Amino acid sequence: GQQLNQSPQSMFIQEGEDVSMNCTSSSIFNTWLWYKQDPGEGPVLLIALYKAGELTSNGRLTAQFGITRKDSFLNISASIPSDVGIYFCAGHRGATNKLIFGTGTLLAVQP
Amino acid sequence: GAVVSQHPSRVICKSGTSVKIECRSLDFQATTMFWYRQFPKQSLMLMATSNEGSKATYEQGVEKDKFLINHASLTLSTLTVTSAHPEDSSFYICSARVGTSGNQDEQFFGPGTRLTVL
């Protein structure tokens, strides 16, 4: 099935640094969602975006729905050790309820 | 917030046996539940969409006779992996959708079930 392309694939940063990751597709999406998955757990929703151009924040996290509706980015400011995990973008195309997930970005934070 | 549970969290079985995984929405009624499979270091891949009281809709390449889905109530869906083989070993995750107003309805994910087939 189709997947969204995320970059970078992995990031190793120092505590306190800012992080940016993005998600791209060749198709238009109607929603963009960002999830965090801890090892052995299900994904947890961080931010949901519903309109092209929308910029939304959740604490230290900020995400934007690209104007072309084919991309989205997630920024994490002042990273802390508990930010460690895998971040997935996901989205809906058309009127479907099905979520298509990105390839994931592994984030490691060095204290 | 909405809580989704899965049982069991881990299961180890012999090749050829069947395994049933339960997905429950604990504090809400889910109009739709979804089943995903996640192989190590890979993303979540949708296997099937399950609506209460009707047959599940399977994604292309997913064998419906091998992965039996039953959605008997608005709070419970089950996935049965029949005649499991080592290649079925994976992390199975369910999600439950709240609402009926389209793709802005949030999906809440369960904690996953780790299946290991020996």
Side-chain angles (χ1 to χ4, degrees), chain B residues 36-40 86-92 113-117:
Chain B
Y36 297 81
R37 182 167 49 184
Q38 185 179 30
F39 291 110
E87 58 265 29
D88 297 324
S89 298
S90 187
F91 194 50
Y92 291 87
T113 296
R114 172 75 60 194
L115 171 63
T116 303
V117 185

Side-chain angles (χ1 to χ4, degrees), chain B residues 46-86:
Chain B
L46 181 65
M47 298 175 67
T49 302
S50 169
N51 290 298
E52 184 261 341
S54 61
K55 289 185 180 179
T57 303
Y58 290 81
E59 294 301 297
Q60 191 173 11
V62 178
E63 299 174 58
K64 62 180 181 181
D65 294 330
K66 179 165 187 62
F67 299 100
L68 300 178
I69 292 173
N70 184 277
H71 194 158
S73 78
L74 286 171
T75 59
L76 173 64
S77 176
T78 60
L79 168 68
T80 301
V81 183
T82 62
S83 187
H85 290 284

Side-chain angles (χ1 to χ4, degrees), chain A residues 2-7 21-35 44-57 62-74 87-94 96 98-104, chain B residues 103-107:
Chain A
Q2 179 187 1
Q3 282 190 325
L4 300 170
N5 296 313
Q6 274 184 251
S7 64
M21 59 190 79
N22 74 317
C23 194
T24 59
S25 171
S26 56
S27 303
I28 289 174
F29 277 70
N30 293 330
T31 63
W32 285 94
L33 307 166
W34 286 92
Y35 289 88
V44 175
L45 182 65
L46 300 174
I47 292 182
L49 303 159
Y50 301 111
K51 293 181 185 178
E54 181 179 353
L55 181 71
T56 297
S57 292
T62 301
Q64 185 159 32
F65 191 144
I67 287 290
T68 65
R69 295 166 65 192
K70 293 182 179 181
D71 62 338
S72 176
F73 72 74
L74 173 70
Y87 291 79
F88 288 102
C89 63
H92 294 102
R93 287 193 302 140
T96 178
K98 299 184 209 178
L99 269 180
I100 297 171
F101 275 82
T103 47
Chain B
N103 58 26
Q104 292 202 12
D105 297 329
E106 185 172 346
Q107 286 185 32

